[in-house]
Amino acid sequence: MNDAANKPMEELTGDIFGGYELKELVGTGGMASIYKGYDDTLSRWVAIKVVPVQAAGGAEEILLARFRQEARAIAALRHRNILTIYGYGEEEGWAYIVMEYVPGGSLKDRLESGQPFTWEQALNVVIPVAQALAFAHERGVIHRDIKPANILLPQEDWPLLADFGLAKMEHATRPNLTMPGQVLGTMAYAAPEQIQEGPLDYRIDIYSLGIVLYELLTGRLPFEGATAFDFLMARLTDPPLPLQEANPDVSPVFVPILEKALAPDPDDRYQKMEEFYQVLRQARDRMRSAPVDFGPAATATEPKIRLKVLDSGEEIVPTGGSELLIGRASKKVVPNIDLGSHDGAKAGVSRRHGRLLLKDKRWFVEDLASTNGTFVNEERLAPNQATPLKNGDIIRCGQLRLQLNLE
């Protein structure tokens, strides 16, 4: 190891770290390089992530602390879909993590063709990753750098979440290891609050995983920009490119799911990764059971319904065709049935709370994974599942009760 102290990071092949010989450079990124190494004792290949501490300058302590934090974060998370760590070490001028070696490459490699995944292929990746993140979040660990390059694929339906280098312990007492003015994470997948360097919590991982799902379903990212600055500003000022505009073949089932996951305001997103995971699992079950297509073209007839707000006696006569969004108006969302003017915010109505659907001359209601739920005659609806309605039914959005009157 003495000879390695002054070598460039990319020229360590043949050197020994912690008893492991570095056989081949397999990846570089940021301050680290990853080598393929061999464990003679257990006769297995390993991946060794190496950081040149001597190159860190005045930030050496922060870099080393962050690298140790990554080792601790992974070591504390034993999950089928999280990369296993075997060991950590520091030698003259270097720090390294020894991990399991995954020969299948990353999700980024599979996306390079620009071709979208099928919905089932996409969910086979995203659902296990969501489970792994829910597991991490329950143990106080926020990943903060979810992107395809950090999702390894030993098999098509077995993703492994890697690279907790930017992980943050939610209840840690030590100071944040982000350097002043530094925005961490890959910007293509970063939540708006990461770009603005605002307070961060578990919901940034939900946003980033939503970007990954969008990219899998469409083969492209939901934001565009001619320059890096334009790209970042688009995240802060523009809504994502509509999912079915990016790929007309995507099922409408995913539209409300991704709109909620990619909400710019964290309070409008899913509040827990477990909630996001459950919605994705329900979507998969729904798709597998041949769901009814409730697309906008289902019928061109104008609906003849009225909704009576029971607490005030006011009447709502919605217009808009066969699909009516229920929620509260904002700059980017104008629902057909705007409950904001009926004290919807106070009653716990989400921006995109639910929708009414007309199919074969029959009305259905669907909850769009709202925060406070949608109820029919006081029975809570499962998210993203259409429920048939009859005249006189009471639809409750949060705490706001609406009586359906059919003409």
Side-chain angles (χ1 to χ4, degrees):
M1 267 301 301
N2 292 334
D3 292 340
N6 298 314
K7 283 185 177 181
M9 188 167 54
E10 297 81 9
E11 297 180 9
L12 296 175
T13 302
D15 286 299
I16 306 296
F17 281 78
Y20 301 96
E21 181 180 357
L22 306 189
K23 297 285 190 179
E24 177 187 353
L25 179 66
V26 294
T28 59
M31 294 293 293
S33 284
I34 300 177
Y35 283 85
K36 182 179 179 181
Y38 192 71
D39 183 344
D40 286 316
T41 304
L42 297 177
S43 301
R44 65 182 177 185
W45 291 101
V46 295
I48 304 174
K49 184 175 183 178
V50 183
V51 165
V53 178
Q54 81 279 7
E60 178 177 324
E61 279 192 33
I62 291 179
L63 175 66
L64 190 56
R66 184 182 297 142
F67 203 58
R68 287 172 181 157
Q69 178 170 287
E70 175 179 5
R72 292 191 188 101
I74 303 176
L77 301 174
R78 300 302 302 272
H79 189 278
R80 183 179 185 273
N81 298 107
I82 295 178
L83 191 70
T84 301
I85 182 172
Y86 298 143
Y88 171 83
E90 296 172 16
E91 301 194 25
E92 185 180 355
W94 303 92
Y96 60 91
I97 298 173
V98 183
M99 304 170 287
E100 65 178 305
Y101 175 68
V102 180
S106 72
L107 184 60
K108 180 182 178 182
D109 301 327
R110 311 294 174 89
L111 283 167
E112 287 180 351
S113 68
Q115 294 298 312
F117 282 37
T118 67
W119 67 263
E120 192 150 21
Q121 287 173 327
L123 292 182
N124 281 344
V125 172
V126 174
I127 286 178
V129 171
Q131 287 179 292
L133 285 167
F135 179 84
H137 291 176
E138 287 171 2
R139 285 149 184 82
V141 178
I142 307 168
H143 190 284
R144 300 206 299 174
D145 196 22
I146 303 300
K147 58 185 179 182
N150 287 338
I151 299 173
L152 307 181
L153 291 174
Q155 299 173 13
E156 290 289 339
D157 58 350
W158 180 21
L160 283 173
L161 185 58
D163 204 342
F164 280 74
L166 305 183
K168 176 183 177 182
M169 304 301 184
E170 178 69 6
H171 304 294
T173 56
R174 64 187 301 147
N176 192 336
L177 298 178
T178 305
M179 300 176 195
Q182 181 181 22
V183 181
L184 294 176
T186 301
M187 291 299 96
Y189 304 90
E193 57 267 36
Q194 285 176 284
I195 297 170
Q196 295 173 311
E197 300 186 65
L200 306 181
D201 60 28
Y202 304 112
R203 294 172 292 183
I204 64 172
D205 285 349
I206 294 171
Y207 186 97
S208 297
L209 189 58
I211 296 279
V212 171
L213 177 58
Y214 184 106
E215 187 176 12
L216 291 177
L217 292 172
T218 65
R220 57 170 296 167
L221 293 167
F223 299 97
E224 295 181 330
T227 66
F229 177 78
D230 291 341
F231 183 82
L232 295 183
M233 289 306 297
R235 188 75 49 83
L236 302 177
T237 60
D238 300 335
L241 179 69
L243 184 67
Q244 290 184 298
E245 184 177 330
N247 181 4
D249 295 329
V250 173
S251 168
V253 167
F254 293 104
V255 173
I257 294 175
L258 280 171
E259 286 179 346
K260 189 173 180 73
L262 300 182
D265 185 341
D267 290 339
D268 292 333
R269 291 177 211 151
Y270 301 102
Q271 297 302 290
K272 292 185 177 181
M273 186 62 74
E274 176 67 23
E275 181 187 1
F276 189 28
Y277 154 69
Q278 291 293 348
V279 169
L280 293 173
R281 185 182 60 79
Q282 290 162 2
R284 179 182 61 190
D285 294 343
R286 183 180 179 189
M287 296 286 286
R288 285 176 175 172
S289 61
V292 176
D293 180 9
F294 292 111
T299 177
T301 60
E302 186 73 16
K304 296 182 179 180
I305 63 169
R306 290 177 289 115
L307 295 168
K308 183 178 181 180
V309 182
L310 292 182
D311 292 342
S312 66
E314 296 177 279
E315 194 169 74
I316 302 172
V317 183
T319 59
S322 60
E323 182 174 330
L324 305 174
L325 178 65
I326 305 170
R328 293 186 292 115
S330 66
K331 291 181 180 179
K332 298 179 181 178
V333 177
V334 181
N336 306 95
I337 302 170
D338 182 8
L339 299 181
S341 58
H342 300 275
D343 289 330
K346 187 176 180 180
V349 177
S350 299
R351 297 281 186 192
R352 294 181 54 85
H353 195 101
R355 59 178 174 172
L356 294 175
L357 307 160
L358 182 62
K359 174 68 175 177
D360 296 330
K361 298 183 180 181
R362 188 173 187 182
W363 282 100
F364 295 74
V365 65
E366 182 176 9
D367 179 71
L368 298 181
S370 61
T371 300
N372 296 304
T374 303
F375 301 76
V376 174
N377 301 326
E378 293 307 314
E379 182 175 346
R380 184 162 186 159
L381 306 183
N384 303 302
Q385 294 187 18
T387 298
L389 295 169
K390 62 182 185 298
N391 191 42
D393 278 347
I394 306 299
I395 303 169
R396 177 158 69 85
C397 299
Q399 296 303 316
L400 195 62
R401 297 180 303 148
L402 308 169
Q403 183 177 45
L404 178 69
N405 295 306
L406 302 175
E407 295 183 2

